Amino acid sequence: AFLASQALKEYQAGNIEKYLEFVQEQKSFYLEHLQLWGGIWCDQVIKHARTHFYRGIAFILKGVLVELNSAFE
């Protein structure tokens, strides 16, 4: 959330170069961390969650990761 908020702040200020740096940082974080284990973690939560709430959150996060993957291709 921090990187996204900083990117938005720079974009709104017209600092496109700085904005693109923050977008690249977001992409790097996704590729180096979330893409590696995020889907597996979501699958495990979906499989083992004892409540619909946590299972639902895992489904939502899994969808977000799919969208991020598409955005960063």
Side-chain angles (χ1 to χ4, degrees):
F2 173 76
L3 293 173
S5 67
Q6 292 298 347
L8 178 60
K9 179 180 167 184
E10 296 298 338
Y11 182 81
Q12 290 173 334
N15 301 326
I16 301 304
E17 188 174 313
K18 196 70 171 165
Y19 160 76
L20 292 173
E21 288 177 23
F22 279 112
V23 170
Q24 183 58 46
E25 287 294 320
Q26 290 177 68
K27 181 178 180 178
S28 295
F29 180 79
Y30 171 75
L31 293 174
E32 294 171 13
H33 299 285
L34 295 178
Q35 187 182 45
L36 299 178
W37 55 263
I40 296 167
W41 183 85
C42 289
D43 290 340
Q44 290 299 307
V45 171
I46 291 165
K47 182 178 179 180
H48 298 289
R50 294 183 182 170
T51 67
H52 295 298
F53 175 80
Y54 289 109
R55 191 172 291 116
I57 293 296
F59 275 116
I60 291 169
L61 179 56
K62 193 169 184 175
V64 168
L65 294 174
V66 168
E67 291 301 315
L68 282 173
N69 193 55
S70 295
F72 289 139
E73 285 185 336

